[in-house]
Amino acid sequence: MSRVSFLEQVNRSFDRAAAISGHDPHLLAQIKGCNSVYRLTFPVKRDDGSIEVVQAWRAEHSHHKLPTKGGIRYSLMVNEDEVMALAALMTYKCAIVDVPFGGAKGGIRIDRRQYSLAELERITRRYTFELVKKLFIGPGVDVPAPDYGTGPTEMAWIVDTYKSLTGGGELNGEACVTGKPIAQGGIHGRLEATGRGVYFGIREACDIGEDMAALGLSKGLDGKRVVVQGLGNVGYHAARFLQQDGAVLVGLAEFEGAIASPAGLDLAQVVAHRRETGSILGFPGAVDLPESSAALELDCDILVPAALENQITGDNAGRIKARVIAEAANGPTTADADGILADRGIAVLPDLYLNAGGVTVSYFEWLKNLSHVRFGRMEKRFDEKAHRQLLAAVERTTGMSFSDQDMSLFASGADEEDLVNSGLEETMITALHQIREVQQRNGGNLDRRTAAFVNAIDKIVVCYEELGIFP
Ligand code: NAD
């Protein structure tokens, strides 16, 4: 484990980029600093009647755009440094994918497996209550989302608590949090959005032939050997989309251990096996690695850390065999490891770009909540009718006719999920090429993480320069 704190690592990356960005150092200092941190403790009644005091945080890193945005994490590792680091990453992430939010992050220091559902609900609602009291949540103020250890259920409790406290007059109350269940104002495609974005980012990177050649890899995702660490929301969906598009999952790791098979592991079968036996280990035909972290060192082309920070460190970076590290998790690579990987010519798709699919689709969900209408509702049927008329005209002109299958394929209008996925794909592709442009502007010498930070800093600087400083 690196001795440099997570926040210090994020700030080091910022400093490296800031030094070559050429902007006013005072403005850069303003961008780097965390605007506000709310540290709180509150009591929770356990099911047995005892009382436990819980520690929690919400950090808002940058108010240059409002609302601020960032997930809420439930983990025993949560601390102020981590929350501030993750909030800072959110600011830069939003800038990279042109999502008009400042960065924020929240965390509650609990191991969710030690609590009943009723206890988790009380913890989540009390935390929300405390955020409301201090104006750390609201559609135009600060909008949380799921992160490690949380999901749609917690987001539903948050929106219900918020709306209960703010009363019926809050027309846009649903937009106080994203990642909600569909019936509570969620959006189709949000659940898998981060994993899908990870897949789009990796696919696009693999499609750049010259970059792949420089790594000694062939162009394209097909046949790429992939190891995924963490089969939660992000890791599971990323692995699913990668496998669907021809990548071979040669290793999968969970907290209880890892499994490997050079011939490839069927994700659906592995997940079914884990559900049945309670462990990923013992999957038929695979080799067990009881030490989960050993999966990071497996022979593969692409390593996808999708669990937590500080996984690839100065200790193991020298033994990593992957040619590409695709950071689905936040902060999986320490600063020490970054240097070692760069020396070894291993490419990194950095977290602040690669896992930005979640916040991108959260932005779409927020827009949906503010407009109070599902994407595609107004135009889907109209588009279908127009397409059918056009196809009929083509049939009349050419004297040929489309099959029923082709007709419905060409004529169909886009529904909400189509639009969300299309917006996400466009965002991930555009952002990768913007980062590459920064690399090219600097003679190709910049690593992708530094280039991503430069890209974010440039955009935030423009915002500050145009806004000026109040008063
Ligand atoms: P999650 O709680 O759904 O899943 C995390 C998974 O990792 C769990 O299955 C857990 O058992 C596993 N895990 C924990 N420790 C492990 C270890 N040492 N080795 C292997 N597996 C381990 O969390 P998530 O939402 O998928 O988040 C994962 C990472 O992605 C975090 O860094 C988070 O900040 C980041 N992220 C999440 C989102 C999102 O939309 N959920 C968005 C951006 C970034």
Side-chain angles (χ1 to χ4, degrees), residues 7 108 166 177 247 309 347 408 414 433 467:
L7 180 60
I108 305 184
T166 52
V177 66
E309 56 266 23
S408 38
H433 289 279
L467 286 172

Side-chain angles (χ1 to χ4, degrees), residues 235-396:
Y236 167 73
H237 289 293
R240 184 162 70 87
F241 294 122
L242 288 166
Q243 185 165 56
Q244 265 172 21
D245 204 11
V248 183
L249 301 174
V250 294
L252 294 170
E254 255 297 334
F255 70 89
E256 70 271 16
I259 51 174
S261 166
L265 298 154
D266 184 283
L267 182 67
Q269 285 177 17
V270 171
V271 170
H273 167 82
R274 188 168 187 239
R275 205 178 301 123
E276 243 166 63
T277 66
S279 172
I280 199 172
L281 297 169
F283 182 70
V287 175
D288 280 349
L289 306 170
E291 187 65 55
S292 177
S293 58
L296 301 170
E297 300 171 26
L298 283 170
D299 189 15
C300 65
D301 301 316
I302 303 171
L303 172 62
V304 185
L308 280 170
E309 56 266 23
N310 288 330
Q311 298 302 304
I312 301 161
T313 66
D315 293 337
N316 63 6
R319 298 191 299 271
I320 300 287
K321 297 188 189 66
R323 300 299 298 144
V324 178
I325 299 199
E327 294 185 334
N330 282 308
T333 311
T334 66
D336 303 348
D338 243 351
I340 298 170
L341 297 174
D343 290 345
R344 296 186 54 217
I346 296 173
V348 175
L349 286 169
D351 48 6
L352 70 165
Y353 159 66
L354 195 67
N355 66 34
V359 73
T360 302
V361 175
S362 274
Y363 169 47
F364 300 158
E365 180 176 332
W366 182 77
L367 291 174
K368 173 187 181 179
N369 296 150
L370 295 185
S371 64
H372 298 266
V373 63
R374 182 182 79 233
F375 288 110
R377 179 170 174 176
M378 309 296 277
E379 64 272 38
K380 181 177 161 62
R381 298 286 159 181
F382 180 85
D383 286 349
E384 270 177 21
K385 209 163 144 191
H387 296 163
R388 277 187 192 282
Q389 282 167 351
L390 187 69
L391 292 168
V394 172
E395 282 182 331
R396 277 196 307 278

Side-chain angles (χ1 to χ4, degrees), residues 379-454:
E379 64 272 38
K380 181 177 161 62
R381 298 286 159 181
F382 180 85
D383 286 349
E384 270 177 21
K385 209 163 144 191
H387 296 163
R388 277 187 192 282
Q389 282 167 351
L390 187 69
L391 292 168
V394 172
E395 282 182 331
R396 277 196 307 278
T397 315
T398 61
M400 294 166 73
S401 55
F402 294 103
S403 68
D404 287 350
Q405 203 185 357
D406 280 349
M407 187 59 108
S408 38
L409 185 71
F410 300 147
S412 75
D415 62 21
E416 182 169 270
E417 195 158 356
D418 296 327
L419 293 166
V420 163
N421 292 343
S422 158
L424 174 61
E425 184 172 11
E426 159 64 16
T427 303
M428 295 307 294
I429 292 174
T430 302
L432 183 65
H433 289 279
Q434 281 184 5
I435 294 167
R436 280 192 91 241
E437 260 173 54
V438 176
Q439 287 183 289
Q440 280 158 357
R441 259 204 327 264
N442 285 274
N445 297 324
L446 276 192
D447 61 281
R448 273 217 175 122
R449 192 187 313 280
T450 308
F453 268 90
V454 170

Side-chain angles (χ1 to χ4, degrees), residues 73 146-149 190 194 229-234 253-255 292 306-307 328-330 355:
R73 174 177 285 203
D147 192 70
Y148 186 94
R190 172 61 184 90
T194 309
Q229 181 200 38
L231 293 179
N233 177 277
V234 179
E254 255 297 334
F255 70 89
S292 177
N330 282 308
N355 66 34

